Amino acid sequence: MCSELLRVLHWTVIKYMRKVFEKNGQPPSIRKLTKESGVDTKELYALFPKGPAKKAAKIGGLPKPVGCI
Amino acid sequence: MSTHGAEPITKVSIVVSHGSLEGVYPGLIMANGARMEGMEASLFFTFFGLDAIMEKRMDRLKVATVGNPGMHMPTILGALPGMSAFATSMMQKEMEKLDIPPVREFLEMINDAGGEIYACKASVDMFHLAKKDFCPQVKDIISVGQFYEKSAGGQIIFT
């Protein structure tokens, strides 16, 4: 995927995930993402269909989140 | 994870038939987890599982301390007043640490994630309930036949 295809909100999510990863060594799972990134659950699934946390982590160059929630 | 070329699961229908806290959460976690993996997910609440989607009861689900060998305590202790409330609050604290939301919030989350929530018609009739008794996330009251139709092409998980 080309970076110019990513809109502002996509970047919000990816940047937030990278920030958490730098701090904790683990990317956040969906629950943390929706609580803290400023992007809610509905938006998240619209931005990254077919598994938002998984997909955003992949695009952000991060490992797949391990959390169950 | 290696799947050795096996066909991935793309759709799950999860039946929740118990109304205790420990009876409800596994289904919610599995449904949410399915959506997290990009799978279609629906929840079908039946019998006492309906407590988990009833406005009046969903915020007051309790851990079963009697008839639950997993509690590792004598049944007679589990029957003491306040024991179930105590076990429930302990479990809720542990779940909060893991960022597992309360039932109402969890159902909102699953619904927002595109998971569908249904109530079982036979149980609804048996308990003399109606759509108004349920939280707004409940999409419909459906028969077992409709449940199977909606589950076409997917896996059915009974909890």
Side-chain angles (χ1 to χ4, degrees), chain B residues 12-148:
Chain B
V12 287
S13 300
I14 300 163
V15 183
V16 178
S17 63
H18 294 286
S20 59
L21 205 63
E22 76 278 14
V24 167
Y25 267 103
L28 301 185
I29 293 173
M30 290 186 77
N32 185 59
R35 289 300 300 137
M36 281 164 59
E37 291 296 315
M39 289 148 58
E40 277 182 65
S42 62
L43 278 162
F44 184 70
F45 291 86
T46 186
F47 276 78
F48 294 103
L50 288 179
D51 278 12
I53 50 174
M54 279 177 69
E55 281 290 352
K56 275 189 192 157
R57 297 193 174 161
M58 60 194 297
D59 299 319
R60 295 190 192 90
L61 301 185
K62 295 263 183 295
V63 175
T65 47
V66 171
N68 181 0
M71 290 303 289
H72 301 289
M73 67 174 170
T75 290
I76 196 150
L77 284 185
L80 291 176
M83 199 50 96
S84 181
F86 172 72
T88 302
S89 101
M90 292 292 284
M91 194 181 261
Q92 278 167 339
K93 266 181 211 152
E94 289 305 314
M95 290 198 297
E96 216 176 293
K97 280 187 211 159
L98 294 174
D99 225 354
I100 301 176
V103 170
R104 183 183 291 274
E105 205 184 325
F106 212 157
L107 285 168
E108 283 170 15
M109 196 167 113
I110 292 167
N111 183 58
D112 284 351
E116 294 182 345
I117 298 163
Y118 298 100
C120 155
K121 185 166 190 320
S123 311
V124 167
D125 292 347
M126 186 173 67
F127 293 126
H128 306 289
L129 299 168
K131 188 87 165 52
K132 64 170 172 40
D133 296 310
F134 299 113
C135 65
Q137 285 75 29
V138 174
K139 195 172 174 191
D140 205 355
I141 297 167
I142 61 173
S143 68
V144 65
Q146 287 171 298
F147 166 75
Y148 281 129

Side-chain angles (χ1 to χ4, degrees), chain A residues 29-32 34-36 40-43 45 49-54 64-65 67-69, chain B residues 10 29 32-33 35-39 98-102 105-106 108-114:
Chain A
S29 67
I30 292 204
R31 170 87 170 140
K32 196 170 160 67
T34 51
K35 264 168 76 183
E36 294 172 14
D40 68 27
T41 309
K42 268 186 196 166
E43 279 178 321
Y45 277 89
K50 297 261 163 195
K54 199 169 84 168
K64 186 181 164 182
C68 283
I69 308 293
Chain B
T10 56
I29 293 173
N32 185 59
R35 289 300 300 137
M36 281 164 59
E37 291 296 315
M39 289 148 58
L98 294 174
D99 225 354
I100 301 176
E105 205 184 325
F106 212 157
E108 283 170 15
M109 196 167 113
I110 292 167
N111 183 58
D112 284 351

